[in-house]
Amino acid sequence: MSFKESLQRNLNNIPPAADVVFVSSSWDTLSFEQWDSIQSLGNYTLDEYVNKEQIVKAFLVRKSKKRDKRRTKKLIKAIEEQSGIAMQNESSSKTEIPSININCNDLDVLLDEIYLRDQGMRMQNDVHNINDSIEQLNQHYIINVIEKCNFPEGNYFNKQNVLTILLVIQHGSKEQRATYFEKFKQAKEIGLLSGGNLATMEDRMLLENNLPQKYGTQLRAVFPGKYEAFNLLSKDSVDFYRKSVGLEPLEVYIKNFNN
């Protein structure tokens, strides 16, 4: 699919197929955990592949090129213009969450739109691509969904839209993660969230509270293209912890990023 076609689909809020998959450049299918880890590091772009009915069936994950950065900015600008999103005044409160009418029986389209907005800003590892007003808009919708639709126990949720909710909270504030972490634990217990995704949030929360991470999901760049795990609770036990939540050994995980 061309960039122009992809841009128009995003503007028209056309969701991908319910069984859409993420694939690597070698066309290996990526798990939710693998994709969640990749997107959190940035410097990757999604190429959309459609079937004969022009429904997106696969996102190919590849390393970003310079032109992707320009295209992403164009996409964000177009979404802003069409949505009428205005930049918030710096002095405005970022903790006040407005009440939004949510149709809990029809969440898929809304959450697909939020997912595209969230990931559209993260195709390259450039903080200038992160638009605070779009970030806040996503968070306002997601928090209203959590609070009004009995998340995660309501009959409105599936694995894909639970992942979207987790990603937005991951990109939200420290307070949001602390507030809703127990709900994500519930989502795991009822089979709507993988242990690996929950471990990723847990590690982030540990580090931002100046505690060592347990699963080694959070990496840092030693230099461009070279990543390492840091501040581990136990180097000897990390693979045991990772295996317990369905993650590959740490050495394999890091190797995937360093190749």
Side-chain angles (χ1 to χ4, degrees), residues 6-249:
S6 177
L7 174 60
Q8 194 59 51
R9 291 178 64 88
N10 281 295
L11 292 176
N12 291 334
N13 297 323
I14 300 175
D19 58 347
V20 67
V21 296
F22 292 87
V23 296
S24 68
S25 56
S26 58
W27 289 96
D28 295 321
T29 301
L30 301 173
S31 67
F32 281 146
E33 294 86 352
Q34 289 171 317
W35 165 236
D36 183 35
S37 298
I38 290 172
Q39 63 82 30
S40 68
L41 293 176
N43 202 33
Y44 283 83
T45 292
L46 298 179
D47 288 335
E48 298 175 326
Y49 286 80
V50 298
N51 60 14
K52 293 181 180 179
E53 288 74 37
Q54 297 301 301
I55 300 298
V56 176
K57 296 288 289 185
F59 290 108
L60 186 144
V61 182
R62 61 172 174 80
K63 290 192 175 181
S64 299
K65 300 178 181 178
K66 288 184 177 179
R67 67 178 183 179
D68 295 315
K69 180 177 179 180
R70 296 192 298 269
R71 289 178 170 183
T72 299
K73 288 183 177 179
K74 183 177 179 181
L75 172 61
I76 293 173
K77 182 178 180 180
I79 291 174
E80 285 181 302
E81 291 174 350
Q82 176 158 313
S83 303
I85 301 172
M87 289 297 292
Q88 298 289 328
N89 188 296
E90 289 295 326
S91 63
S92 65
S93 171
K94 295 190 177 183
T95 59
E96 182 179 351
I97 305 298
S99 178
I100 301 173
N101 290 328
I102 300 292
N103 181 357
C104 296
N105 291 305
D106 189 21
L107 290 179
D108 286 349
V109 173
L110 171 64
L111 293 176
D112 285 340
E113 178 184 349
I114 289 171
Y115 179 85
L116 291 171
R117 285 202 300 255
D118 180 86
Q119 294 304 296
M121 296 186 294
R122 291 178 164 81
M123 289 182 181
Q124 289 82 37
N125 190 20
D126 185 349
V127 296
H128 295 99
N129 282 341
I130 306 303
N131 185 301
D132 287 343
S133 63
I134 295 178
E135 200 91 301
Q136 285 186 23
L137 180 69
N138 285 347
Q139 291 163 16
H140 291 171
Y141 270 104
I142 288 301
I143 290 174
N144 273 267
V145 167
I146 292 174
E147 296 292 345
K148 295 180 178 181
C149 298
N150 192 26
F151 177 81
E153 296 179 348
N155 297 321
Y156 319 110
F157 302 103
N158 56 48
K159 289 183 178 180
Q160 180 59 53
N161 57 37
V162 168
L163 178 62
T164 296
I165 293 169
L166 178 134
L167 290 175
V168 172
I169 297 299
Q170 277 274 55
H171 301 147
S173 67
K174 174 181 177 180
E175 291 72 25
Q176 288 174 6
R177 285 185 287 279
T179 299
Y180 297 115
F181 183 68
E182 288 299 319
K183 287 189 176 292
F184 289 112
K185 287 177 67 175
Q186 292 175 30
K188 174 184 175 295
E189 290 169 2
I190 61 178
L192 291 178
L193 185 67
S194 72
N197 276 315
L198 186 66
T200 300
M201 176 173 278
E202 183 177 344
D203 273 354
R204 181 168 183 174
M205 293 172 65
L206 288 168
L207 289 174
E208 65 191 5
N209 284 285
N210 298 314
L211 297 170
Q213 59 173 322
K214 182 176 181 179
Y215 303 96
T217 63
Q218 306 299 297
L219 305 182
R220 65 184 175 190
V222 182
F223 51 83
K226 177 71 173 180
Y227 296 93
E228 68 174 9
F230 64 103
N231 196 10
L232 295 173
L233 177 64
S234 170
K235 291 182 180 180
D236 294 333
S237 300
V238 66
D239 281 341
F240 171 79
Y241 296 142
R242 290 178 65 85
K243 185 176 181 180
S244 72
V245 295
L247 294 175
E248 70 271 70

